[in-house]
Amino acid sequence: MSKVPPGPTPGFLVWRLANKWRVAVDRAVAPLGLTHAQYSLVASLHGMQRSGERPSQRRLADHTGLEALYVSKLARALETAGLIERTRDPRDPRAVQLALTEQGRAVTRQAVAVVQQLHQQLLEPLGGTDAARTRAFTDELTTLLDAPLAPPVPNDDSTQGTTP
């Protein structure tokens, strides 16, 4: 029988922290007409465009970790708001490329500044965004995010009788 650890599990704490930060970003970017998910999309798109890339919706989904269908939905809403352009990729007619409009670049620059200030506030308990503890925390999160997830196969004889 496995021993139950005292206090909350790491998974629960990561979930709580992710929700806390999502709500904080939602509130911070709401005056700019964005949600946290939309912010994640336009900020990522902004960075990719600054690197000379005009990503497809699929590429942006892979970059953000969001589902491709959700990126498509967000992109349509952002296009309706005049913040991004969606165009067919001339090399692959099935793919849709994304680009920020002039208005989208302006809103994104404002949103990035607001979120950077918010991150400074949220990371203050670790010493701020440039602190050694924050860098170590970021390294630990990156390690966890880089670890591949291999979901167990139900009723697989090789996993019977093992504890995750």
Tab-separated table of all heavy atoms in Angstrom, residues 38 41 48 50 64:
chain	number	residue	atom	x	y	z
A	38	GLN	N	-6.288	34.248	-25.603
A	38	GLN	CA	-6.031	35.125	-26.743
A	38	GLN	C	-4.685	35.825	-26.591
A	38	GLN	O	-3.940	35.963	-27.563
A	38	GLN	CB	-7.151	36.152	-26.895
A	38	GLN	CG	-8.461	35.561	-27.353
A	38	GLN	CD	-9.591	36.562	-27.308
A	38	GLN	OE1	-9.615	37.459	-26.459
A	38	GLN	NE2	-10.542	36.416	-28.219
A	41	LEU	N	-1.927	33.562	-27.561
A	41	LEU	CA	-1.844	33.425	-29.010
A	41	LEU	C	-1.175	34.640	-29.644
A	41	LEU	O	-0.223	34.497	-30.411
A	41	LEU	CB	-3.245	33.227	-29.580
A	41	LEU	CG	-3.288	32.663	-30.977
A	41	LEU	CD1	-3.262	31.145	-30.915
A	41	LEU	CD2	-4.536	33.124	-31.689
A	48	MET	N	7.003	35.225	-32.816
A	48	MET	CA	7.347	34.447	-34.010
A	48	MET	C	7.514	35.368	-35.219
A	48	MET	O	8.434	35.191	-36.013
A	48	MET	CB	6.284	33.381	-34.266
A	48	MET	CG	6.245	32.321	-33.171
A	48	MET	SD	4.798	31.256	-33.269
A	48	MET	CE	5.517	29.881	-34.154
A	50	ARG	N	8.408	38.506	-35.131
A	50	ARG	CA	9.646	39.276	-34.940
A	50	ARG	C	10.857	38.456	-35.356
A	50	ARG	O	11.887	39.014	-35.721
A	50	ARG	CB	9.765	39.735	-33.491
A	50	ARG	CG	8.782	40.863	-33.181
A	50	ARG	CD	8.845	41.318	-31.758
A	50	ARG	NE	10.188	41.751	-31.408
A	50	ARG	CZ	10.595	41.970	-30.187
A	50	ARG	NH1	9.774	41.803	-29.174
A	50	ARG	NH2	11.819	42.363	-29.941
A	64	THR	N	2.343	26.978	-28.661
A	64	THR	CA	1.657	27.389	-27.432
A	64	THR	C	1.230	26.230	-26.553
A	64	THR	O	0.955	26.414	-25.370
A	64	THR	CB	0.398	28.216	-27.759
A	64	THR	OG1	-0.493	27.411	-28.538
A	64	THR	CG2	0.736	29.506	-28.467
